[in-house]
């Protein structure tokens, strides 16, 4: 199972990831056309300040996701193959319960459509747009177990 991992020490807060995400989720998929679309395309991640650093913040696709458990319409669900938390806009009723329970604050509302908006890991792409666009490789799309193994190996080598 692959997820997006963040290396905050490499983030320069250029927000290329935010722009790439919005364009990837636009109707046209093109930067200059997307700027004029209605409703405006929303990014599914944010770059926030934390302890003097800029950090990309996006959905963690929790194993026991509070948003999935709280969704009264059943719009939020797990993808059976990737276990990513996805939102079915046809079922979303815009109650915003998912926004209230998300511990990361990354579920947002698309006001014009009255729908929840969150990271979907760009299912039509091999690598999510945010990761592909990051000029410093602060975002990595990797297998969870492989990434954890590499972090342990690096920590052991550093000691």
């Amino acid at each position: 199972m692959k997820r997006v991992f963040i290396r905050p020490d490499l983030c320069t807060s250029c927000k290329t990831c935010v722009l790439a995400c919005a364009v990837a989720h636009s109707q046209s998929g093109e930067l200059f056309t997307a700027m004029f679309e209605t409703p405006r395309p929303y990014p599914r991640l944010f770059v926030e300040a934390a302890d003097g650093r800029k950090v990309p913040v996006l959905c963690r696709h929790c194993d026991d996701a509070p948003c999935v458990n709280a969704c009264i319409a059943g719009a939020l669900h797990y993808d059976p193959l990737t276990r990513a938390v996805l939102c079915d806009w046809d079922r979303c009723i815009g109650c915003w319960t998912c926004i209230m329970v998300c511990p990361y604050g990354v579920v947002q509302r698309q006001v014009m459509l009255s729908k929840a908006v969150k990271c979907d890991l760009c299912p039509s792409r091999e690598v999510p747009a945010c990761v592909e666009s990051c000029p410093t490789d602060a975002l990595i799309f990797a297998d969870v177990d492989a990434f954890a193994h590499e972090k342990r190996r690096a920590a052991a080598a550093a000691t």
Side-chain angles (χ1 to χ4, degrees):
M1 146 177 76
K2 286 188 162 188
R3 294 291 181 261
V4 176
F5 293 95
I6 302 162
R7 297 191 294 189
D9 53 315
L10 297 178
C11 181
T12 62
S13 189
C14 67
K15 298 189 180 180
T16 303
C17 55
V18 176
L19 180 62
C21 179
V23 170
H25 290 90
S26 68
Q27 295 167 18
S28 66
E30 299 291 329
L31 175 62
F32 295 107
T33 310
M35 294 187 318
F36 303 105
E37 290 179 6
T38 303
R40 168 175 77 86
Y42 277 79
R44 272 82 165 141
L45 76 155
F46 311 91
V47 177
E48 300 288 341
D51 293 330
R53 295 194 281 185
K54 303 296 185 189
V55 180
V57 181
L58 65 155
C59 180
R60 305 312 306 155
H61 299 277
C62 306
D63 286 337
D64 188 20
C67 60
V68 172
N69 296 328
C71 183
I72 61 174
L76 289 171
H77 63 280
Y78 294 101
D79 179 274
L81 295 175
T82 66
R83 296 292 297 159
V85 177
L86 304 177
C87 183
D88 180 350
W89 272 20
D90 292 334
R91 296 184 74 176
C92 181
I93 60 172
C95 68
W96 317 132
T97 305
C98 53
I99 294 170
M100 292 184 268
V101 300
C102 177
Y104 301 101
V106 294
V107 182
Q108 62 179 331
R109 58 190 187 131
Q110 206 311 348
V111 178
M112 291 182 74
L113 299 175
S114 195
K115 304 291 181 186
V117 177
K118 63 170 294 308
C119 173
D120 58 4
L121 295 176
C122 298
S124 62
R125 304 171 62 105
E126 196 164 313
V127 175
C130 59
V131 174
E132 191 173 277
S133 71
C134 183
T136 62
D137 293 328
L139 298 175
I140 303 166
F141 189 58
D143 179 75
V144 173
D145 293 333
F147 184 80
H149 182 296
E150 182 59 35
K151 292 295 271 184
R152 287 191 304 270
R153 200 175 107 241
T159 57

